[in-house]
Amino acid sequence: AQSVAQPEDQVNVAEGNPLTVKCTYSVSGNPYLFWYVQYPNRGLQFLLKYITGDNLVKGSYGFEAEFNKSQTSFHLKKPSALVSDSALYFCAVRDGRDTGRRALTFGSGTRLQVQP
Amino acid sequence: GAVVSQHPSWVICKSGTSVKIECRSLDFQATTMFWYRQFPKQSLMLMATSNEGSKATYEQGVEKDKFLINHASLTLSTLTVTSAHPEDSSFYICSPAGLAGVFGTDTQYFGPGTRLTVL
């Protein structure tokens, strides 16, 4: 079984400051890790993913995430937050070796609030 | 990324009626479709997985006779909520998965979602 934990329901940060949204995962095989953002009453928008290769992954809108195998973490980061980054962020995982089940398992979500 | 549409985006219906939600992958062939449900302030939960031309596989606790899924073509899948009740009120999101090499099989893209409110 696979699971994702996002320990913070909400993260508050001032505009211009760096932000971090935490994610840890559990999967028996190779982790395929993803970050998505959701705006109110909208579907999920893909931000970035880690499949293999460099542990630091760069994605859309200036976001990046670092894969840490020993800590089973995949924290989302951005050097300088914008008010428009305020949204709901989901971390997701699937087992890369499981070619049969390709659905993602999502974390509970973290609401990011960027104050002007 | 892939372009996915859902229709309707918002629907209100009376208890006991059926509602059909369409999901279209506009720029690639979706051999697999995932349907998720999201309750307010909660995460996405997988409801079912369907492969084009075959019956859907439902997650534990999801009633297959209540949530009918049709995936008759590579660009269209439908989810029908039959005899809807207020507890079925939720945000339904589809996610098509395509052939290898087309946007890769690694990344899942999602439709914009359908907000269902059952009175």
Side-chain angles (χ1 to χ4, degrees), chain A residues 34 36 38 41 43 49 104 107, chain B residues 32 38 43 106-108 112 115:
Chain A
F34 303 82
Y36 291 87
Q38 185 180 35
N41 291 310
K49 67 181 178 184
L104 296 176
Chain B
T32 300
Q38 184 182 27
S43 188
D106 301 330
T107 301
Q108 268 188 255
R115 171 76 59 195

Side-chain angles (χ1 to χ4, degrees), chain B residues 2 4 8 21 31 34 36 46-47 54 57 61 64 71 73 86-87 92 99 107 115 118:
Chain B
V4 185
I21 300 170
T31 54
F34 301 106
Y36 292 85
L46 181 68
M47 297 176 65
S54 61
T57 301
K64 64 178 182 180
H71 191 175
S73 80
E87 58 266 29
Y92 293 88
L99 301 170
T107 301
R115 171 76 59 195
V118 184

Side-chain angles (χ1 to χ4, degrees), chain A residues 70-108:
Chain A
S70 62
Q71 296 185 5
T72 61
S73 67
F74 190 57
H75 301 330
L76 181 70
K77 299 181 180 183
K78 187 173 182 180
S80 178
L82 299 172
V83 172
S84 57
D85 293 329
S86 299
L88 188 57
Y89 290 80
F90 288 100
C91 181
V93 69
R94 75 173 179 91
D95 186 343
R97 295 189 307 183
D98 187 352
T99 57
R101 179 183 173 87
R102 292 183 287 137
L104 296 176
T105 297
F106 286 87
S108 54

Side-chain angles (χ1 to χ4, degrees), chain A residues 6-54:
Chain A
Q6 292 181 244
E8 303 154 317
D9 290 337
Q10 180 157 325
V11 170
N12 297 309
V13 65
E15 188 174 30
N17 283 1
L19 70 87
T20 299
V21 182
K22 296 179 180 178
C23 170
T24 58
Y25 66 90
S26 174
V27 67
S28 55
N30 299 328
Y32 284 18
L33 294 155
F34 303 82
W35 275 101
Y36 291 87
V37 60
Q38 185 180 35
Y39 294 96
N41 291 310
R42 301 290 298 276
L44 273 67
Q45 295 179 30
F46 170 73
L47 282 179
L48 51 79
K49 67 181 178 184
Y50 171 84
I51 303 298
T52 186
D54 290 340

